[in-house]
Amino acid sequence: MKKYILDLTVTENIRLHSNYVLIKLTQSDPLPEMLPGQFAEIRVDGSNTTFLRRPISINYVDRKANEVWFLVQLVGDGTRKLATVQKGDIVNVVLPLGHGFTIPATPETKVLLVGGGVGTAPMLYLGEALLKTGCKPTFLLGARSANDLLQLEQFGALGDVYTTTEDGSMGEKGYVTMHSVLRERKFDMIYTCGPKPMMMAVAKYAKTADIDCEVSLENTMACGVGACLCCVEKTDEGHVCVCKEGPVFNIKKLLWQI
Ligand SMILES: Cc1cc2nc3c(=O)[nH]c(=O)nc-3n(C[C@H](O)[C@H](O)[C@H](O)COP(=O)(O)OP(=O)(O)OC[C@H]3O[C@@H](n4cnc5c(N)ncnc54)[C@H](O)[C@@H]3O)c2cc1C
Ligand code: FES
């Protein structure tokens, strides 16, 4: 898919909780096509410490408003600086990057979307894409506590939502792989994004239950286009750049110890 370097304008920067912002960007021309699971490399302007762009998933594309949304967790200098953008500011992005999730061929496919922490970000756009093809998504979202469970209203508008928190402040207490929905309902396909230990646990569950599964890896990235080799992952076809060949992989391709 063709990639674009765009100067987009901030339409909104919503502080969801102390550690998360939702940044909405637009331009006068229609935004290019973007697929669920793809990401953008966002330039962080005005920082003395962050020189490389930061990879952030496409959270949602609002075609009516001609907006692309990015859900950002504030973890270091780059994301903290990015979180200070105001309405009217220009944000330079390279997008769409990487390969997205596979949409099932048949609408009867029972799909489960598992997100952990800010790894829920790509699940919103994916959920909508699945619903458009007739697959009603079920979401299983996990976080440390209720404050880290984001966009629940938007997820609820697309499908059933189940939650877990480590401190038990919302949903079932524990990890996503412990949730009762995994015992009570049958799924044909699982999509997951979040911390690596969570994705490995989900992949292990999927493999044991013989369910097809795609994971979106968040390896450390710099260039985002396969030039610097800093994001490599070992697969059944050798070492590949996650930014170019992924970030979405079927678990069958990965050499994780699961
Ligand atoms: C494909 C992809 C999609 C992502 N989507 C999102 C998203 O939707 N929302 C979100 O909040 N975060 C997302 N991330 C993670 C995000 O890129 C990092 O949190 C961010 O780059 C940290 O930058 P920083 O300057 O704030 O932190 P730093 O001070 O640089 O580091 C803080 C932490 O972030 C990690 N990190 C630093 N640089 C990178 C990097 N270039 N790539 C990956 N991890 C890094 C470090 O290991 C460290 O643990 C995604 C990462 C990838 C690879
Ligand atoms: S980030 Fe440079 S090769 Fe992937």
Side-chain angles (χ1 to χ4, degrees):
M1 263 170 91
K2 192 173 170 195
K3 300 169 187 48
Y4 299 82
I5 304 176
L6 302 172
D7 274 331
L8 301 182
T9 307
V10 179
T11 54
E12 257 189 300
N13 179 354
I14 306 166
R15 182 63 70 134
L16 297 181
H17 283 293
S18 55
N19 272 342
Y20 303 92
V21 292
L22 178 64
I23 300 172
K24 300 185 180 183
L25 305 174
T26 192
Q27 64 174 7
S28 48
D29 290 334
L31 289 165
E33 189 191 357
M34 292 169 249
L35 302 174
Q38 289 188 306
F39 65 100
E41 281 274 17
I42 303 186
R43 198 176 70 201
V44 181
D45 291 334
S47 166
N48 296 325
T49 49
T50 305
F51 305 108
L52 296 171
R53 288 172 182 268
R54 292 300 189 242
I56 302 290
S57 304
I58 310 289
N59 173 232
Y60 188 68
V61 182
D62 183 341
R63 286 285 163 200
K64 263 195 204 150
N66 194 37
E67 283 175 344
V68 55
W69 298 6
F70 295 100
L71 181 66
V72 181
Q73 182 179 19
L74 283 57
V75 294
D77 284 353
T79 46
R80 283 203 189 93
K81 187 71 191 169
L82 192 58
T84 63
V85 294
Q86 311 266 326
K87 186 174 177 174
D89 286 351
I90 299 295
V91 176
N92 186 276
V93 301
V94 182
L95 85 196
L97 297 174
H99 293 283
F101 293 102
T102 310
I103 304 292
T106 50
E108 297 77 32
T109 311
K110 293 185 181 61
V111 292
L112 177 68
L113 284 64
V114 186
V118 80
T120 57
M123 297 299 161
L124 190 64
Y125 191 34
L126 174 63
E128 190 196 62
L130 289 164
L131 195 59
K132 277 186 181 158
T133 67
C135 281
K136 190 165 185 240
T138 298
F139 300 97
L140 175 55
L141 310 175
R144 287 219 174 102
S145 77
N147 276 353
D148 303 299
L149 285 168
L150 308 165
Q151 301 183 300
L152 293 180
E153 211 174 297
Q154 281 99 334
F155 282 115
L158 299 173
D160 296 333
V161 181
Y162 299 90
T163 57
T164 60
T165 49
E166 287 171 39
D167 64 3
S169 51
M170 188 181 275
E172 293 187 14
K173 187 173 179 180
Y175 298 119
V176 282
T177 41
M178 293 154 68
H179 198 284
S180 53
V181 71
L182 297 180
R183 294 186 296 277
E184 288 160 10
R185 290 179 55 182
K186 287 227 168 303
F187 296 99
D188 307 309
M189 177 81 197
I190 296 178
Y191 304 94
T192 186
C193 182
K196 194 164 179 187
M198 184 210 84
M199 288 197 289
M200 290 180 90
V202 172
K204 191 172 180 181
Y205 165 79
K207 193 177 172 189
T208 311
D210 199 20
I211 301 171
D212 211 10
C213 179
E214 286 186 347
V215 298
S216 181
L217 300 186
E218 294 203 344
N219 293 20
T220 299
M221 292 183 184
C223 71
V225 291
C228 71
L229 307 184
C230 83
C231 63
V232 287
E233 180 78 32
K234 221 173 172 186
T235 70
D236 61 355
E237 289 168 6
H239 286 91
V240 302
C241 293
V242 170
C243 64
K244 201 171 166 207
E245 308 303 327
V248 176
F249 293 90
N250 193 296
I251 57 167
K252 288 177 197 147
K253 293 205 83 58
L254 298 173
L255 303 187
W256 290 351
Q257 297 299 311
I258 54 174

